[in-house]
């Protein structure tokens, strides 16, 4: 399964609205982080519209991870970016890959469950030799009721082999 952000990684520049959707935070937070972290340097048009590069986007994702997911303060995030930026970037990339893998595995599991459900609903009983060897009641002939002990028992208007 492709990463949800892979479509964005093919662009050269992103608007602040696109970055806020990709990262999952609001635009005012991005403007605040831009003031707090020198690593974020979006280009500006003559009208002052911000355009974020891929490097800016990676930095913002890293800052978001450190602040929102790891719970670091702004000072702690600044120190981590200054001292261990490559380590933190690698950790974030590994986490993203693991999340993608988990999503893929869940989709596969759900697909297998769906296939199993369809197979079970389509399976029909095939008697082996004759009708006397096995009895299969008609629809609406079998009523399942609960007895006093909570076990299921079948009541049928036709005789059963059991």
């Amino acid at each position: 399964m492709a990463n949800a952000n892979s479509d964005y990684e093919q662009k050269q520049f992103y608007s602040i609205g696109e970055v806020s959707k990709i990262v999952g935070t609001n635009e005012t937070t991005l403007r605040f982080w831009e003031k707090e972290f020198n690593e974020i340097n979006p280009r500006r048009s003559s009208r002052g519209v911000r355009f974020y590069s891929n490097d800016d986007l990676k930095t913002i994702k890293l800052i978001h991870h450190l602040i929102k997911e790891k719970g670091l303060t702004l000072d702690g995030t600044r120190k981590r970016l200054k001292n261990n930026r490559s380590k933190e970037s690698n950790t974030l990339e590994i986490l993203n890959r693991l999340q993608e893998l988990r999503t893929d595995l869940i989709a596969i599991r759900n697909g297998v469950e769906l296939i199993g459900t369809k197979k079970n609903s389509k399976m029909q009983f095939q008697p082996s030799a004759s009708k006397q060897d096995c009895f299969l009641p008609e629809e609406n002939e079998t009523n399942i009721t609960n007895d006093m002990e909570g076990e299921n028992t079948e009541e049928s208007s036709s005789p059963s082999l059991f």
Side-chain angles (χ1 to χ4, degrees), residues 37 62-81 88:
F37 297 98
L62 183 57
I63 291 170
H64 182 268
H65 170 72
L66 293 172
I67 292 175
K68 300 292 183 177
E69 295 174 17
K70 282 196 168 184
L72 295 178
T73 62
L74 294 175
D75 288 332
T77 302
R78 272 190 218 99
K79 289 177 185 174
R80 287 271 180 105
L81 287 176
E88 294 297 333

Side-chain angles (χ1 to χ4, degrees), residues 45-160:
S45 70
S46 59
R47 297 183 332 185
V49 177
R50 291 168 175 85
F51 292 103
Y52 295 90
S53 68
N54 283 321
D55 290 336
D56 290 331
L57 182 61
K58 288 177 185 176
T59 302
I60 291 169
K61 285 180 180 180
L62 183 57
I63 291 170
H64 182 268
H65 170 72
L66 293 172
I67 292 175
K68 300 292 183 177
E69 295 174 17
K70 282 196 168 184
L72 295 178
T73 62
L74 294 175
D75 288 332
T77 302
R78 272 190 218 99
K79 289 177 185 174
R80 287 271 180 105
L81 287 176
K82 184 178 180 182
N83 298 330
N84 298 325
R85 184 183 178 116
S86 63
K87 178 184 173 190
E88 294 297 333
S89 293
N90 291 338
T91 302
L92 182 60
E93 286 179 30
I94 291 169
L95 284 173
N96 288 336
R97 288 181 192 158
L98 287 173
Q99 288 174 345
E100 289 176 17
L101 181 61
R102 182 177 189 268
T103 303
D104 291 345
L105 289 172
I106 289 171
I108 291 169
R109 182 192 67 195
N110 292 342
V112 168
E113 288 175 355
L114 181 63
I115 290 170
T117 305
K118 286 182 179 180
K119 277 187 177 180
N120 288 340
S121 66
K122 290 181 180 179
M123 288 178 62
Q124 295 181 357
F125 177 74
Q126 299 292 330
S128 57
S130 68
K131 288 185 180 181
Q132 294 173 347
D133 291 340
C134 192
F135 171 76
L136 183 63
E138 297 288 327
E139 271 187 47
N140 300 330
E141 278 191 60
T142 304
N143 298 322
I144 297 177
T145 59
N146 293 330
D147 64 0
M148 298 298 265
E149 297 165 5
E151 297 177 13
N152 289 336
T153 57
E154 292 186 357
E155 298 174 2
S156 178
S157 59
S158 304
S160 168

